[in-house]
Structure formats: C-alpha cells, structure tokens
Amino acid sequence: AQKITQTQPGMFVQEKEAVTLDCTYDTSDPSYGLFWYKQPSSGEMIFLIYQGSYDQQNATEGRYSLNFQKARKSANLVISASQLGDSAMYFCAMREANTNAGKSTFGDGTTLTVKP
Amino acid sequence: DAGVTQSPTHLIKTRGQQVTLRCSPKSGHDTVSWYQQALGQGPQFIFQYYEEEERQRGNFPDRFSGHQFPNYSSELNVNALWLGDSALYLCASSRRTSGRKSYEQYFGPGTRLTVT
C-alpha cells in the first residue's frame, strides 16, 4: 500500500524568503509519480509539480522545485521567493507509474502562511 | 477551454437522505476520479471511471456509487447519508494516454456537502 507522510501541520515564512515543505512516502511499486498540489481556501486543488520515480533530475516549475531523494523516499517541495499569495494548504501525493490511471494517495497537508 | 466543473457548489442534506453530485471533465479528458476530503485532512480516493465503467475503487462502502456518461461526465451518488459523510467532494479528470504529459490530472472546485 502507498503512504504519504507530511510531518509539518503548519509552516510560517517571511515574504521573499524560501521555504521547504517536507514529504516522505512509502511504496513497494518500482514505478510511481510524486505530485505537489496547492489548495487555497476556495477548495480547488491546483497542480504545482510532478516527479517521476525514474527521472534523473529534480523537477522544477518556476518558483517551485522538488528535492527528490529516492533512497530516503523523500520528495520535499521548495518554494523560492515566497509571495503572500502562496499562503494555502499544500499536499504531497503519489500515484502508481507515470500514468494518469489509478488512484492518488495524499498526505494530510501542510498549511503555509506567508508573513509580510 | 473550460476546466473541470462540478455542481452544486454547496449542499445541505439530512441524515438518511440521498445525494447526487455532478462533474464535467476538462475538454479532451476521458477519465474521472472522485475524492472525499474531510476537514483538515487530505483527499481520499473513492473511485475512478473510464469508458463508463468503474475501474478502481478505494475503501468506501457500497453506499457510494457512480456513473459515467458517454460524454465523459460523471455522477457520484451517496445513499443513506451519515453525519460523517460531510466533506468536500472533489472530482479530477485526466486522459488515458502515454507520453510526456500522461500524469496530468486536473481537479474541479469541489462540492461541499453538509449532513445534519
């Protein structure tokens, strides 16, 4: 069974600084995808970044980067130059293989608050 | 290009009643997944529909059922509502394809169900 653990219920960061949100995972599948989503108070789940288990390089999407350490089974999200609009709930998720088939398993999330 | 749409936005029901939630996938997508998100938790996978059939199911009782129509839209039905069914119900759409962007999955804004 797949499991996602996010150990930081809440995080604070000063505007314009970088912040790292932690995520560890557990799976017996050799092929999987890791995702990060942002959920503002409106409720919609917004896709941020994706990392495939066989990808050699860490994924980057604008101010978001994923620090993928396969041996440690960790997939931390780094947000650079934080903005007030980054305040939201952030979820780490996993899905089997590099496909859109199958279910996604989510962690319990981290609430990020960006302070001016 | 419309994204994933869900209706209604909010719903209040009484214990024992039945409810139907609706989802229209993003244009070009043929697969719909449903998730339940309780307050303060990550989304939990309910089931996934492709080619009008349930393809995968999470750990939810038979009170939760669904349907997918030829136009790829989907319904989630919950019978004999419990207080514990109060949650945000999220629909996600994707396209069954191989290739670079095969992992993409888009979420709708959700339906917030309150059971009293």
Side-chain angles (χ1 to χ4, degrees):
Chain A
Q2 297 179 339
K3 184 177 171 61
I4 296 285
T5 302
Q6 295 180 253
T7 57
Q8 306 155 314
M11 288 283 286
F12 290 88
V13 64
Q14 207 67 37
E15 192 179 9
K16 300 181 184 177
E17 292 186 350
V19 63
T20 298
L21 306 184
D22 294 342
C23 172
T24 57
Y25 61 91
D26 191 24
T27 181
S28 57
D29 294 324
S31 182
Y32 50 88
L34 294 158
F35 304 78
W36 277 92
Y37 292 89
K38 173 184 178 182
Q39 188 177 43
S41 55
S42 60
E44 186 169 354
M45 200 72 74
I46 301 168
F47 166 77
L48 295 178
I49 197 167
Y50 164 82
Q51 179 85 41
S53 59
Y54 292 119
D55 292 344
Q56 295 297 314
Q57 292 188 324
N58 286 343
T60 60
E61 292 283 351
R63 295 187 299 111
Y64 304 106
S65 61
L66 198 152
N67 184 2
F68 181 46
Q69 298 187 45
K70 195 170 183 177
R72 294 186 174 186
K73 293 190 174 181
S74 75
N76 298 340
L77 176 70
V78 180
I79 305 175
S80 63
S82 297
Q83 302 171 357
L84 295 178
D86 293 335
S87 293
M89 193 80 159
Y90 288 81
F91 289 96
C92 180
M94 164 185 283
R95 190 156 72 236
E96 61 185 4
N98 293 327
T99 73
N100 52 38
K103 68 175 186 178
S104 291
T105 300
F106 285 80
D108 283 336
T110 296
T111 301
L112 177 66
T113 303
V114 181
K115 297 193 280 189
Chain B
D1 179 21
V4 180
T5 60
Q6 292 186 243
S7 63
T9 306
H10 294 87
L11 204 51
I12 299 175
K13 289 286 189 178
T14 305
R15 270 182 306 174
Q17 287 188 316
Q18 178 264 345
V19 68
T20 298
L21 310 182
R22 296 177 176 81
C23 171
S24 291
K26 181 178 168 63
S27 178
H29 285 188
D30 55 12
T31 303
V32 173
S33 301
W34 286 93
Y35 292 82
Q36 180 196 66
Q37 186 179 15
L39 198 61
Q41 296 181 17
Q44 299 290 316
F45 176 78
I46 302 174
F47 43 54
Q48 183 183 77
Y49 276 84
Y50 172 67
E51 291 186 335
E52 302 179 46
E53 289 189 15
E54 182 183 295
R55 299 292 178 169
Q56 197 168 5
R57 189 179 183 91
N59 188 24
F60 279 81
D62 292 344
R63 297 187 299 111
F64 289 77
S65 63
H67 189 77
Q68 185 179 35
F69 299 93
N71 66 353
Y72 308 120
S73 66
S74 177
E75 287 182 349
L76 164 66
N77 301 293
V78 186
N79 293 323
L81 284 166
W82 296 5
L83 295 179
D85 295 331
S86 295
L88 179 68
Y89 288 84
L90 294 164
C91 167
S93 78
S94 54
R95 187 162 65 99
R96 285 200 174 227
T97 179
S98 59
R100 176 172 166 72
K101 295 286 190 178
S102 62
Y103 57 82
E104 288 187 342
Q105 186 178 64
Y106 293 85
F107 282 81
T111 294
R112 191 165 295 279
L113 173 65
T114 302
V115 183
T116 62

